[in-house]
Amino acid sequence: MNLSTDDSKQKLFMELYTPCKQPFLKYCRGITSNLDDARDLAGDSILVVFENLDKLRKRDSFKAYLFGVARRLRLNQHRRKKFQGEYNEGEANGIQSQQSPPDLNPDVELLYAYLEKLPVKQKEAFLLFELSGFSLKEIKLLQGGSLAAVKSRLNKARVQLRLWFNDEDGLLESRGKEDES
């Protein structure tokens, strides 16, 4: 950059800024919550206006441009503030995790593996009743047959899953005993 150009730009800026300095600082103080925020806003606005001074077409519009920049910067601060919050340690500790516990995932995968081994009608009855919340009558309408048949399929699925899970627990216990010896 040419030093003489920078000097002339700075002189022009100061010539335009000096008459509106006090009203501008009062305006910044009025739209912010405290003096430090007002000073930050004024500084940011002055920087933007100085950097874009060559885009200013009329000298008479400098004051409106300066105030407009400050207003837009403040509105942007408000918009960003909507997405920020204050951190409260007590509230943060009380928030329940939306993720399942890490020890639950293997059990869920095992359940689905066992469900695949069930006969289709038993699997469907179990999924509709236990996981989807359908009533026995609704399952009867979906699967056909009698209400007693739906109850029987559901019971058989539960018994079989219970056997497989209990057997899995027995395998885990015997593996643990082998590891200890």
Side-chain angles (χ1 to χ4, degrees):
M1 286 189 149
N2 188 349
L3 186 61
S4 63
T5 309
D6 285 345
D7 285 344
S8 64
K9 184 178 179 180
Q10 190 174 6
K11 285 179 184 177
L12 174 63
F13 179 82
M14 290 309 295
E15 180 183 318
L16 297 171
Y17 175 69
T18 302
C20 59
K21 178 181 179 181
Q22 289 306 316
F24 176 67
L25 293 176
K26 288 178 183 178
Y27 174 74
C28 288
R29 177 63 179 109
I31 63 173
T32 58
S33 57
N34 61 45
L35 189 57
D36 289 333
D37 289 343
R39 287 180 181 152
D40 289 342
L41 178 62
D44 292 343
S45 302
I46 289 169
L47 180 63
V48 169
V49 170
F50 181 75
E51 288 175 346
N52 296 301
L53 190 61
D54 52 337
K55 295 177 184 175
L56 189 67
R57 294 185 205 151
K58 297 179 185 176
R59 295 180 90 179
D60 295 340
S61 61
F62 176 81
K63 186 175 181 180
Y65 181 54
L66 179 65
F67 280 68
V69 167
R71 181 180 174 275
R72 281 189 299 281
L73 287 175
R74 186 63 182 162
L75 288 174
N76 287 338
Q77 289 173 350
H78 275 294
R79 281 188 206 109
R80 283 192 301 268
K81 219 177 222 182
K82 286 183 199 176
F83 301 106
Q84 296 175 348
E86 292 185 24
Y87 180 73
N88 183 329
E89 185 77 29
E91 287 180 20
N93 288 333
I95 296 173
Q96 293 281 338
S97 172
Q98 299 299 320
Q99 296 178 342
S100 59
D103 60 335
L104 182 64
N105 289 337
D107 292 340
V108 170
E109 290 173 21
L110 188 60
L111 171 65
Y112 282 111
Y114 286 153
L115 284 171
E116 288 300 317
K117 294 181 180 181
L118 288 174
V120 175
K121 289 240 180 189
Q122 286 181 17
K123 173 185 169 184
E124 189 178 66
F126 182 83
L127 289 172
L128 289 171
F129 187 78
E130 296 294 343
L131 299 180
S132 298
F134 281 79
S135 70
L136 293 173
K137 289 179 183 177
E138 292 170 322
I139 297 170
K140 175 189 161 244
L141 293 173
L142 290 170
Q143 286 188 330
S146 66
L147 191 58
V150 172
K151 289 180 182 178
S152 175
R153 285 190 289 265
L154 187 58
N155 188 46
K156 286 179 182 177
R158 288 177 179 156
V159 168
Q160 186 59 58
L161 289 171
R162 198 173 297 124
L163 285 172
W164 284 332
F165 271 106
N166 287 339
D167 190 37
E168 183 71 25
D169 290 340
L171 285 174
L172 291 175
E173 287 176 17
S174 66
R175 284 185 194 151
K177 291 177 184 175
E178 290 173 6
D179 290 343
E180 290 174 5
S181 53

